[in-house]
Amino acid sequence: GNSVTQMEGPVTLSEEAFLTINCTYTATGYPSLFWYVQYPGEGLQLLLKATKADDKGSNKGFEATYRKETTSFHLEKGSVQVSDSAVYFCALTLPLNAGNNRKLIWGLGTSLAVNP
Amino acid sequence: DAMVIQNPRYQVTQFGKPVTLSCSQTLNHNVMYWYQQKSSQAPKLLFHYYDKDFNNEADTPDNFQSRRPNTSFCFLDIRSPGLGDAAMYLCATSSDRDSSTDTQYFGPGTRLTVL
């Protein structure tokens, strides 16, 4: 079946450290891949996305590259800030034109805490 | 700015007392979703509307209902809230008219407390 696996948290880093949150997927066909971020007490915000192999999504200093050969979409940031403390969710959807439903398939989320 | 709005942000209800949560959007998206999220777990899809067509998830309890009177608004009705229904409820929208990718955009959520 289709699934998303994220590295388990919590992840604790010092400010300005390099961040990697691993995400791998299993899917039939060619999924679109997403990273969502949830700050404490808030809803989910789309952080970045990629819709085909080798695409790189980027936003707010975060990047992730769609790697079909390794079925991965790892999230990276070169220098984290205290304000990046949040829960990060990796997710996928399958192409609509292949008769798939529009359901997001979620990873379990990774909690990030950045200390000053 | 175009957005997804949820009201109220915090809702307190009593055990068994019906409650309605609302969602509106200015994105003119044709698909609207309701999710339940507990304790920063992954959101759980309850149902969605594709235009006027209602699509219920197989494991969504009958206690949860939804209405979509027009493109912009969607409501979540909990007929008899139990303690286990305390959660964050998230509304999301998407549009499949311009792309083969169904990107979902979320509102800020309503935190429901059941006393």
Side-chain angles (χ1 to χ4, degrees):
Chain A
N2 303 303
S3 66
V4 174
T5 302
Q6 281 182 246
M7 63 185 287
E8 289 188 22
V11 173
T12 302
L13 295 173
S14 297
E15 207 165 22
E16 299 184 2
F18 185 86
L19 169 71
T20 300
I21 301 178
N22 289 339
C23 173
T24 57
Y25 68 89
T26 301
T28 53
Y30 300 92
S32 295
L33 302 173
F34 305 86
W35 277 101
Y36 284 89
V37 59
Q38 188 169 34
Y39 299 101
E42 297 187 12
L44 289 155
Q45 297 179 25
L46 177 66
L47 183 58
L48 51 85
K49 70 177 183 182
T51 59
K52 60 182 187 295
D54 300 325
D55 267 2
K56 177 187 283 188
S58 61
N59 186 24
K60 300 181 181 180
F62 290 90
E63 293 183 341
T65 301
Y66 189 143
R67 301 284 189 202
K68 188 158 179 62
E69 63 275 14
T70 54
T71 62
S72 65
F73 193 54
H74 304 321
L75 183 68
E76 296 182 337
K77 187 175 185 182
S79 176
V80 293
Q81 306 300 313
V82 172
S83 57
D84 293 326
S85 299
V87 179
Y88 293 81
F89 290 95
C90 185
L92 70 82
T93 57
L94 297 172
L96 290 173
N97 56 10
N100 295 301
N101 63 39
R102 53 194 71 252
K103 198 170 181 175
L104 269 167
I105 298 167
W106 298 89
L108 295 180
T110 303
S111 176
L112 170 66
V114 180
N115 297 320
Chain B
D1 287 343
M3 59 177 61
V4 182
I5 302 161
Q6 290 189 244
N7 286 306
R9 293 292 308 276
Y10 300 91
Q11 177 73 57
V12 180
T13 191
Q14 292 181 334
F15 182 94
K17 184 175 181 181
V19 65
T20 295
L21 310 181
S22 72
C23 176
S24 63
Q25 52 125 344
T26 61
L27 298 163
N28 200 31
H29 283 174
N30 62 314
V31 192
M32 294 186 77
Y33 310 76
W34 278 104
Y35 289 86
Q36 180 192 65
Q37 187 186 30
K38 296 185 176 183
S39 302
S40 287
Q41 297 175 14
K44 178 181 181 301
L45 182 64
L46 296 173
F47 26 59
H48 75 274
Y49 274 94
Y50 180 88
D51 293 327
K52 296 182 179 180
D53 294 333
F54 178 71
N55 298 270
N56 198 31
E57 292 298 300
D59 57 353
T60 297
D62 292 341
N63 198 27
F64 292 87
Q65 303 286 321
S66 185
R67 297 170 282 135
R68 188 179 187 187
N70 54 53
T71 300
S72 301
F73 285 86
C74 196
F75 300 98
L76 170 63
D77 300 309
I78 308 177
R79 294 192 297 185
S80 181
L83 297 178
D85 296 327
M88 175 80 89
Y89 289 89
L90 297 164
C91 175
T93 72
S94 70
S95 174
D96 61 353
R97 294 196 175 119
D98 300 320
S99 169
S100 64
T101 300
D102 207 20
T103 301
Q104 294 186 27
Y105 297 90
F106 285 79
T110 295
R111 171 76 63 187
L112 178 68
T113 300
V114 181
L115 301 177

